[in-house]
Amino acid sequence: MRSTRPARSAIVLGGSLAGMLAARALADFAAVTVVERDTLPEGPSPRRGLPQAQHTHVLWSGGARAVEELLPGTSGLLRGCGAHYVPVPTDMVVLSPRGWFRRWEESHHTLLCSRDLLDWTVRRQVLGHDRVALLDRTTADGLLGDADAVTGVRVRRADGSEDRLAADLVVDATGRASRASSWLRDLGLPAPAERRIDPGLVYASRVFRAPAAVRARGCFPTVIVQADPRRAPGQGALLIMVEDGRWLATLSGTRGGEPAGDGGAFMDFALEAPRHPIVGRLIADAEPLTGVTRTRSTANYRRYYERMRRWPEGFAVLGDALAAYNPSYGHGMSTAAQSAVALRNAVGRRGWGTPDLARHVQRAVAGPVDAAWILAVGQDVLYPGATEHGPALRDKVSAAYVNRLLHTATGNGWAARRVTDVTSLEHPVSVLGDPRLALAALRGPRRPKLDGPPLTEEEMAAAGLSAPSVTVPE
């Protein structure tokens, strides 16, 4: 086996969105090799190692801005390929656990498209950089070095041959399947503290052709029926518009209320299980374009690498390898993008090769996950069986406050703006601790609750819905 090491070299493990963005972040400082176990498609097509790509994915404005910072022009490229810019909350129809949100004036936005299109758009830009190379059909088997410093990785190629790749910095972006904890133990380091919250959520998704009138309009509001953690099982539904005039519907349910994997049961669930049947009504007469894709790997977990007393030089972990969330909140891609920006900024601030750089990087990339983690576990921890001992007192207090904020946001535009500041990942979760917001939550909503989804008459007509099933916004 040979050892190769160019001057100022980095290795990124994993060629999905988090890995590609990390590679672009490091290309400002070093030659980067992306090690990927699969063969990456040349176009916006599915890839074997990313089965969850068939479900809905949301790039919140906080994440979209991070991607744009690393790869200027990406939003324009996505929209040119049919991605949709959706003003938040103006073009969102959302049933929260405390009622329907009004469609207030735009404060933030989301970019909506298939995960295949997003990954391909990012991938072709990153791999077009003259300091980024791809080594695909190659699996990382372990780290080189010791407890003080990681000096590279051991890899195994598709033909079974093994190799050693040396680098100044190795970044693990291998997602939920990350083996970083065991690799560190092999170097003589302890496992990190970890928290896991698993409400037993199952996802089922299917793609439909949107009605002709919707396709002619070119857009349609995002429709979300959120589960209520106070009522088990928690069942929800989500409908987004993606490129090529398609609707992508995702249904979800926790233990005892999971959606099934066949077409007939999918429609029955959409109409009967969630707290409102609006998504089922919208897709009832739409033409299905795919079968039903079902996924169970949805647990929330957080690995606290940044808290470890000893941390080796030359190694960092980010993306789902660091923290993963219930996908219904749509924060995974955005936090990965923000962590990649944090990676670039930390290296730029400290300087390549400076002592203790890896520890500073690890602390930096962990920062963006905090808001997403708090938002996810604050609700999911309430479901039966989500944790071994049930929610702690602080979990219950936090959930009660968030519940009161959601109640207030249904009829208070200022409070709704503060909530979307955090859910869009544009502002830290500390925004929710603003005393003015706490006072607003104490007072409650200023307007009465809506009695149905706030779709306009034009939207109803385009979707083929009759007026009695919806409420026109004020």
Side-chain angles (χ1 to χ4, degrees):
M1 292 183 291
R2 67 184 186 279
S3 179
T4 58
R5 182 175 187 169
R8 281 201 171 193
S9 60
I11 293 173
V12 175
L13 306 178
S16 192
L17 186 74
M20 287 295 170
L21 293 175
R24 178 59 191 90
L26 293 173
D28 287 346
F29 312 99
V32 185
T33 300
V34 178
V35 176
E36 167 58 43
R37 67 179 181 179
D38 295 325
T39 299
L40 297 177
E42 295 184 0
S45 305
R47 72 180 185 92
R48 185 171 60 86
L50 195 66
Q52 68 269 29
Q54 305 312 306
H55 301 295
T56 53
H57 284 77
V58 176
L59 189 62
W60 288 94
S61 49
R65 295 185 199 284
V67 173
E68 197 72 16
E69 188 172 339
L70 293 167
L71 296 168
T74 299
S75 294
L77 290 172
L78 287 168
R79 297 181 69 179
C81 291
H84 296 276
Y85 176 102
V86 178
V88 175
T90 315
D91 279 351
M92 296 187 76
V93 173
V94 181
L95 178 60
S96 79
R98 294 306 302 268
W100 293 99
F101 286 131
R102 283 175 164 79
R103 292 166 66 175
W104 307 102
E105 182 180 352
E106 177 180 356
S107 56
H108 306 292
H109 70 274
T110 62
L111 282 177
L112 299 181
C113 62
S114 67
R115 178 65 186 270
D116 295 335
L117 175 60
L118 178 61
D119 279 6
W120 174 68
T121 302
V122 168
R123 183 168 63 241
R124 61 176 171 154
Q125 294 180 87
V126 174
L127 296 181
H129 195 287
D130 59 5
R131 300 182 78 180
V132 178
L134 174 65
L135 186 60
D136 61 359
R137 302 180 66 202
T138 302
T139 301
D141 280 342
L143 301 174
L144 302 176
D146 54 31
D148 293 322
V150 169
T151 58
V153 293
R154 298 193 316 274
V155 300
R156 177 171 34 86
R157 301 180 191 275
D159 62 6
S161 62
E162 297 182 349
D163 205 348
R164 290 170 173 260
L165 306 178
D168 300 309
L169 179 63
V170 175
V171 174
D172 179 7
T174 54
R176 287 179 177 264
S178 170
R179 296 161 58 195
S181 292
S182 62
W183 290 345
L184 291 172
R185 285 197 298 271
D186 290 342
L187 298 181
L189 293 166
E194 180 175 342
R195 191 179 189 198
R196 182 181 178 88
I197 297 173
D198 184 5
L201 198 70
V202 172
Y203 273 83
S205 294
R206 196 173 197 185
V207 178
F208 297 83
R209 190 185 310 280
V214 171
R215 299 198 306 271
R217 294 178 77 245
C219 62
F220 196 81
T222 294
V223 181
I224 305 173
V225 178
Q226 296 177 343
D228 186 346
R230 300 168 301 173
R231 298 164 51 184
Q235 297 170 311
L238 168 63
L239 183 69
I240 67 171
M241 195 160 186
V242 297
E243 66 272 16
D244 301 325
R246 296 175 295 163
W247 270 343
L248 176 52
T250 293
L251 311 178
S252 62
T254 59
R255 293 182 182 88
E258 304 94 333
D262 65 88
F266 184 92
M267 186 58 67
D268 291 342
F269 186 100
L271 288 168
E272 299 170 6
R275 294 164 49 232
H276 193 282
I278 180 61
V279 170
R281 291 176 181 173
L282 286 167
I283 62 175
D285 296 321
E287 176 191 356
L289 299 177
T290 67
V292 178
T293 301
R294 201 162 176 259
T295 297
R296 289 183 175 273
S297 299
T298 61
N300 305 279
Y301 60 79
R302 175 85 157 84
R303 295 166 179 147
Y304 294 93
Y305 291 112
E306 72 278 9
R307 296 182 182 176
M308 291 177 62
R309 296 184 64 183
R310 292 185 65 191
W311 187 253
E313 294 286 0
F315 186 59
V317 184
L318 55 69
D320 281 4
L322 176 64
Y325 326 94
N326 172 342
S328 66
Y329 303 103
H331 286 146
M333 298 190 306
S334 294
T335 54
Q338 291 181 334
S339 290
V341 170
L343 166 65
R344 185 195 63 180
N345 293 344
V347 174
R349 187 167 51 248
R350 299 287 301 186
W352 189 268
T354 57
D356 222 18
L357 173 63
R359 179 177 290 279
H360 286 280
V361 164
Q362 194 58 54
R363 289 172 175 169
V365 300
V369 310
D370 288 340
W373 177 254
I374 291 171
L375 291 171
V377 305
Q379 299 296 303
D380 285 5
V381 72
L382 301 179
Y383 288 112
T387 59
E388 183 178 358
H389 303 293
L393 177 60
R394 64 178 181 180
D395 294 325
K396 295 178 181 179
V397 171
S398 175
Y401 179 56
V402 170
N403 187 54
R404 184 66 186 180
L405 285 179
L406 294 177
H407 172 61
T408 303
T410 61
N412 182 321
W414 180 82
R417 173 66 181 259
R418 300 286 79 76
V419 171
T420 56
D421 282 346
V422 177
T423 58
S424 66
L425 301 182
E426 296 251 21
H427 295 273
V429 74
S430 58
V431 166
L432 301 183
D434 185 335
R436 296 173 299 170
L437 186 58
L439 181 59
L442 183 64
R443 292 172 175 168
R446 295 175 177 174
R447 297 187 185 184
K449 282 187 174 183
L450 298 176
D451 58 7
L455 288 163
T456 67
E457 291 184 4
E458 181 184 0
E459 291 161 351
M460 288 189 292
L465 291 182
S466 56
S469 64
V470 294
T471 297
V472 178
E474 299 177 0

